[in-house]
Amino acid sequence: RAHEQRMNNIRQFGEANTARFNERMSAMDRNKAAFDSRMSSMDRQQEVRVDTIRGVSKYSDPNTGERVKVEDGYDHVYRNRQDPTAYYGTNTPIEAGQLDWQELKKVELKDY
């Protein structure tokens, strides 16, 4: 009977120790996730600052979702479908479909 009691006490101690360890690990995981979130936010803010200094903005191709950085200052930015490295920025819309160009969508800061 005494042996069973000692074994039970050891088991309870082990379970309590494991619970405390798991609790500490969960707290550390939450802290790490919060840290990663803050760092990600700071990275995005820094990218926006650098892009602003460089005079570029991020645009997205609505068909592919691909994102590129293009010179800023235009109301409309287009990509040539035949030569995807060619971009055209203008303040006047063009008939992109007739010219085989794809209008790109400016990425909002919250989605940067």
Side-chain angles (χ1 to χ4, degrees):
R1 186 83 185 150
H3 175 73
E4 288 178 20
Q5 183 61 43
R6 284 192 305 274
M7 294 305 290
N8 190 37
N9 289 346
I10 290 170
R11 183 185 52 76
Q12 288 175 352
F13 177 79
E15 288 172 354
N17 194 39
T18 299
R20 284 190 303 273
F21 173 81
N22 289 338
E23 194 174 299
R24 281 192 311 272
M25 293 305 292
S26 292
M28 288 171 56
D29 288 346
R30 286 190 302 275
N31 288 341
K32 174 75 167 69
F35 172 81
D36 288 345
S37 178
R38 284 191 308 275
M39 291 300 106
S40 180
S41 175
M42 290 172 69
D43 287 347
R44 281 191 306 277
Q45 291 171 15
Q46 179 66 9
E47 184 180 10
V48 169
R49 277 191 289 274
V50 169
D51 286 353
T52 301
I53 291 167
R54 290 181 57 222
V56 297
S57 286
K58 197 179 281 189
Y59 288 83
S60 172
D61 184 321
N63 293 325
T64 65
E66 180 185 358
R67 291 180 171 197
V68 294
K69 291 184 181 180
V70 179
E71 184 179 343
D72 205 3
Y74 301 104
D75 293 333
H76 305 275
V77 173
Y78 302 88
R79 173 191 274 171
N80 186 326
R81 288 186 175 142
Q82 300 302 314
D83 178 6
T85 63
Y87 299 94
Y88 175 65
T90 180
N91 290 324
T92 307
I94 63 171
E95 293 294 326
Q98 293 177 356
L99 300 173
D100 209 20
W101 287 75
Q102 172 65 53
E103 185 165 12
L104 304 179
K105 182 179 183 283
K106 189 170 188 175
V107 175
E108 296 180 32
L109 291 179
K110 67 179 181 62
D111 299 324
Y112 223 80

